[in-house]
Amino acid sequence: MNEAELKGIRDWFELYADRYCRENGCRESVRAMMVLKREHSRRVSQEAATLASDLGWNRSDQITSEALGLLHDAGRFSQMAEFGTFRDVESVNHALRGVQVVQESKVLDRCRGGRREQILDGIRLHNGLRVPAGLSAGSVPFLHLIRDADKLDIFEIFLDAFRNNRIHDYPEIAHHVDLEGPVSPELAAEVRAGRIPSYRMIRSLCDWKLLQVSWVFDLHYRPSCRRVGERRVLERLRDSLPDTAEIAGTFEGARAHLEMRCRTG
Ligand SMILES: [Fe+2]
């Protein structure tokens, strides 16, 4: 992919997202969610490009990463406009919706050398529980990259919300969990075992935070792990939770895993 193709994708995305962010007929809260997704997409795009550069990928692969970052959540805008929620279980799978939106736009039609497939696979699978077997070899590195870049930005979005008491800005979470409730023992046990708990196990805001802790087990690239360390993500999550032995215990494995990944890749 070259710079001109990236510019075409960027121009398309900005116009597309802007249309939803300016929509007159919608509630202010819905518009705020659109703006949030546009900002998230821009930041993930930059994060993906920087990770690709740190990994020593060639310029064409870096540009493809940047484009994928921008497009990975393309399905969020029409999902919110149509259903008024970002909860996939109550609406549509936003990744599949994103593939549909991007295909219908024809914005990738001029991309050659498998770039179209790599980007569409990245969009389609960025939110899955894991990277499926049997995916085309050219798509796998980009899928790992977008999953890492997405998590890195989501950590910051929620850490900011926890710190500034703005969790109510995220009704998708705030309306569905007990904000004052304790950690669910089954969920904490999953994190201690080095696994990512299912979203279905989340009962409280504490559970949501511990689920975020478990994401370190799913980071693929060493530069991603280093960023989590440099940004003190685990320490900041820890500070946002009650000071109990049970919670402290769930952090130990995650911290050790992250340190090991930062050292050995
Ligand atoms: Fe997403």
Side-chain angles (χ1 to χ4, degrees), residues 33 85-87 154 157-158 161-162 167-179 199 202-209 212:
M33 291 291 107
T85 181
F86 285 144
R87 281 171 67 85
I154 296 173
I157 290 175
F158 285 110
F162 303 148
I167 197 67
H168 289 283
D169 290 355
Y170 302 90
E172 321 306 324
I173 297 172
H175 288 178
H176 291 87
V177 301
D178 176 357
L179 295 177
Y199 279 92
I202 296 175
R203 300 278 176 273
S204 66
L205 187 56
C206 286
D207 288 346
W208 173 260
K209 291 174 181 177
Q212 296 226 309

Side-chain angles (χ1 to χ4, degrees), residues 72-73 76 94 126 150:
H72 80 285
D73 262 350
R76 286 299 199 188
H94 76 276
H126 81 269
D150 198 17

Side-chain angles (χ1 to χ4, degrees), residues 70-263:
L70 208 52
L71 298 179
H72 80 285
D73 262 350
R76 286 299 199 188
F77 300 94
S78 71
Q79 177 190 37
M80 177 56 76
E82 199 174 320
F83 300 96
T85 181
F86 285 144
R87 281 171 67 85
D88 287 12
V89 287
E90 293 170 8
S91 54
V92 286
N93 177 334
H94 76 276
L96 297 182
R97 173 61 69 91
V99 169
Q100 190 187 339
V101 165
V102 169
Q103 281 182 320
E104 285 172 4
S105 76
K106 301 191 188 305
V107 68
L108 299 179
D109 281 10
R110 279 192 294 164
C111 296
R112 282 180 292 267
R115 295 307 190 188
R116 188 171 178 277
E117 184 190 15
Q118 288 162 354
I119 292 176
L120 289 176
D121 281 343
I123 298 171
R124 183 165 57 88
L125 298 165
H126 81 269
N127 63 339
L129 208 53
R130 56 184 64 85
V131 172
L135 188 66
S136 131
S139 295
V140 172
F142 293 98
L143 179 56
H144 284 307
L145 191 83
I146 191 62
R147 291 166 64 90
D148 280 12
D150 198 17
K151 288 185 182 72
L152 287 172
D153 192 59
I154 296 173
F155 282 139
E156 296 302 325
I157 290 175
F158 285 110
L159 280 165
D160 176 65
F162 303 148
R163 191 180 53 235
N164 297 310
N165 229 349
R166 293 199 302 108
I167 197 67
H168 289 283
D169 290 355
Y170 302 90
E172 321 306 324
I173 297 172
H175 288 178
H176 291 87
V177 301
D178 176 357
L179 295 177
E180 308 298 332
V183 165
S184 304
E186 317 78 56
L187 184 139
E190 284 290 284
V191 182
R192 272 197 299 276
R195 289 191 290 264
I196 300 179
S198 160
Y199 279 92
R200 284 193 299 274
M201 298 173 85
I202 296 175
R203 300 278 176 273
S204 66
L205 187 56
C206 286
D207 288 346
W208 173 260
K209 291 174 181 177
L210 284 188
L211 183 105
Q212 296 226 309
V213 172
S214 77
W215 282 1
V216 303
F217 299 123
D218 195 38
L219 289 173
H220 186 78
Y221 292 115
R222 180 153 55 167
S224 313
C225 297
R226 287 201 171 135
R227 277 167 174 69
V228 169
E230 287 159 10
R231 295 173 189 174
R232 303 184 68 255
V233 169
L234 288 181
E235 290 81 353
R236 288 151 70 204
L237 281 168
R238 177 75 189 82
D239 289 346
S240 78
L241 282 157
D243 195 10
T244 68
E246 186 192 26
I247 287 173
T250 58
F251 275 80
E252 280 166 21
R255 203 173 285 129
H257 176 85
L258 193 68
E259 277 171 17
M260 182 269 292
R261 290 295 319 280
C262 287
R263 276 199 312 273

